[in-house]
Amino acid sequence: MKRFIIFKKIEKKAKDILLILRVSLIILLFAVLLIIGNGRLPIGMSNFSFINIGDSGMKVKYKEANRSYYRTYFLTTEQKNNVYVISSCSEGTVYLKMKQGMYEENLDISNYDSMLDLSQFDEGYISFTITNKNAKNVSVQLEIR
């Protein structure tokens, strides 16, 4: 009986040590990933983000992101002349890529407040993609009026 009690105590200590080792390993893994990644977010992630992508436009705000935001809209000739963009960021660069078929335009919208010139595009489906390069505190609002 005495051996059984000693075995139970040793088993409990072993379980406690294994739990501590698991937690330490997880912390070490996150530390290594942070050091390797230079503190940047992994691809496809955003930090403190608000995203509203609907039928009448896109509203995207984030502190930091390593991903893109995408939507395709069908625009009539009238709507194509009434696409408005308001954008700002505290550092880095924010881009808006507009694509229809094989034709595409890229626009730096880091600090932008104007109607888009979509005269080179035909009536129909146009894809809008918001991306960034090391941008922080980003706010982009694309309105189809």
Side-chain angles (χ1 to χ4, degrees):
M1 183 72 157
K2 190 174 182 182
R3 286 184 182 173
F4 181 72
I5 293 171
I6 292 172
F7 180 73
K8 281 286 193 183
K9 287 180 183 179
I10 292 172
E11 184 181 6
K12 183 174 178 359
K13 285 182 183 179
K15 284 183 180 180
D16 290 345
I17 290 171
L18 284 175
L19 179 65
I20 291 169
L21 287 174
R22 286 180 190 158
V23 171
S24 299
L25 184 63
I26 290 170
I27 291 170
L28 181 64
L29 178 65
F30 280 112
V32 168
L33 289 175
L34 186 64
I35 291 168
I36 290 173
N38 256 349
R40 298 188 191 274
L41 290 171
I43 293 173
M45 300 295 289
S46 61
N47 194 2
F48 299 106
S49 62
F50 168 80
I51 305 155
N52 184 4
I53 300 175
D55 293 335
S56 61
M58 304 166 65
K59 189 171 189 174
V60 177
K61 290 184 179 185
Y62 53 86
K63 183 175 179 183
E64 181 181 20
N66 193 1
R67 61 165 291 186
S68 59
Y69 302 90
Y70 168 85
R71 177 71 192 252
T72 299
Y73 295 98
F74 184 87
L75 299 178
T76 64
T77 303
E78 183 181 323
Q79 288 174 320
K80 168 174 93 113
N81 296 325
N82 291 308
V83 178
Y84 194 77
V85 174
I86 302 168
S87 176
S88 65
C89 66
S90 63
E91 63 181 78
T93 311
V94 180
Y95 299 100
L96 178 65
K97 179 170 83 171
M98 301 161 286
K99 185 175 181 181
Q100 185 178 54
M102 296 303 289
Y103 181 75
E104 80 176 46
E105 282 186 29
N106 288 298
L107 181 63
D108 179 352
I109 59 167
S110 298
N111 290 297
Y112 196 87
D113 188 356
S114 183
M115 297 291 268
L116 289 178
D117 178 16
L118 299 175
S119 59
Q120 299 297 320
F121 293 91
D122 297 326
E123 179 178 304
Y125 289 100
I126 301 174
S127 298
F128 296 92
T129 305
I130 300 168
T131 59
N132 78 79
K133 184 173 182 179
N134 300 323
K136 299 207 190 254
N137 300 314
V138 175
S139 175
V140 178
Q141 186 170 351
L142 182 140
E143 296 178 12
I144 301 169
R145 298 180 174 178

